[in-house]
Amino acid sequence: MITILKGDITKSNTDAIVNAANIYLLGGSGVCGAIFKAAGAKELQAECDTLSPIKTGEAVITKGYNLKAKYIIHTPGPRYSGPEDAVLLRNSYYNSLKLADEYKLNSISFPSIGTGVYRYPLEDAAKVAIAAIHEFLNDYPNTTIKQIYFYLFDDNTYNTYMNELNKR
Ligand code: ADP
């Protein structure tokens, strides 16, 4: 059910991909910049502007525009300041899955939220991410979501999430 891949999330053909957004839902750097570019920045920004701002850990959904994915779920992770941020990072994963379930989606792809510009320590972030997904699946046993993917960009991130998943 959880599959970890190495690669570019903009190439994913799941029903939704998740964007590690900022609270203003502005196209930025990192995975956010890549998603805006691949989706078509002008149209995506116009829709995001109607939803902005949102809070850290919340999630909103837009169309996928030029992506293979039909939808983009945007969630700002925390700018890391300490272990107490775990709940906000957990909320990003949990609320993204809740929204995908509300839209009756079957598949979703996540990047490693928070571990780029927002500097969440990688091993801690992987723990929180995998735990949040299991928490959601426990809470929503009848969810429409059947496939959950991670698209991880570099070896270190990929290996860290693989290790965390294999602990279960
Ligand atoms: P944040 O601001 O939440 O820290 P970043 O975009 O800076 O988000 O980084 C999150 C992760 O996304 C990093 O591991 C980064 O290497 C990765 N990333 C960057 N571009 C892509 C992409 N096209 N597909 C998947 N992951 C990506």
Side-chain angles (χ1 to χ4, degrees):
M1 183 135 198
I2 302 180
T3 308
I4 297 185
L5 302 172
K6 202 158 79 184
D8 179 353
I9 198 167
T10 65
K11 307 278 192 277
S12 170
N13 62 3
T14 53
D15 295 337
I17 67 168
V18 176
N19 179 20
N22 50 72
I23 60 168
Y24 302 109
L25 304 179
L26 292 169
S29 58
V31 71
C32 181
I35 290 172
F36 269 72
K37 194 168 169 211
K42 214 173 154 194
E43 283 181 294
L44 176 56
Q45 190 63 69
E47 187 175 358
C48 282
D49 288 347
T50 68
L51 303 167
S52 158
I54 65 170
K55 295 196 175 104
T56 300
E58 286 182 349
V60 292
I61 193 164
T62 66
K63 289 184 275 188
Y65 299 97
N66 297 334
L67 296 175
K68 288 184 194 150
K70 191 165 179 210
Y71 296 102
I72 305 168
I73 292 174
H74 305 259
T75 182
R79 279 179 192 275
Y80 189 74
S81 57
E84 66 278 5
D85 287 337
V87 65
L88 294 171
L89 186 60
R90 171 261 179 214
N91 290 350
S92 280
Y93 285 94
Y94 198 94
N95 289 329
S96 296
L97 290 166
K98 247 174 92 173
L99 199 48
D101 182 71
E102 278 164 31
Y103 275 71
K104 301 192 180 341
L105 305 186
N106 298 138
S107 57
I108 185 168
S109 299
F110 284 98
S112 175
I113 299 169
T115 63
V117 174
Y118 283 4
R119 296 191 166 279
Y120 208 103
L122 188 53
E123 279 185 28
D124 295 345
K127 273 196 183 61
V128 171
I130 305 281
I133 291 171
H134 282 105
E135 185 189 349
F136 174 83
L137 294 174
N138 267 324
D139 292 350
Y140 292 83
N142 299 319
T143 179
T144 57
I145 305 167
K146 301 295 171 222
Q147 296 294 338
I148 300 170
Y149 294 90
F150 278 99
Y151 273 78
L152 304 172
F153 216 43
D154 59 273
D155 288 337
N156 190 26
T157 306
Y158 174 83
N159 291 334
T160 305
Y161 278 73
M162 274 301 230
N163 282 340
E164 191 53 41
L165 188 64
N166 288 337
K167 281 186 194 161
R168 297 217 163 222

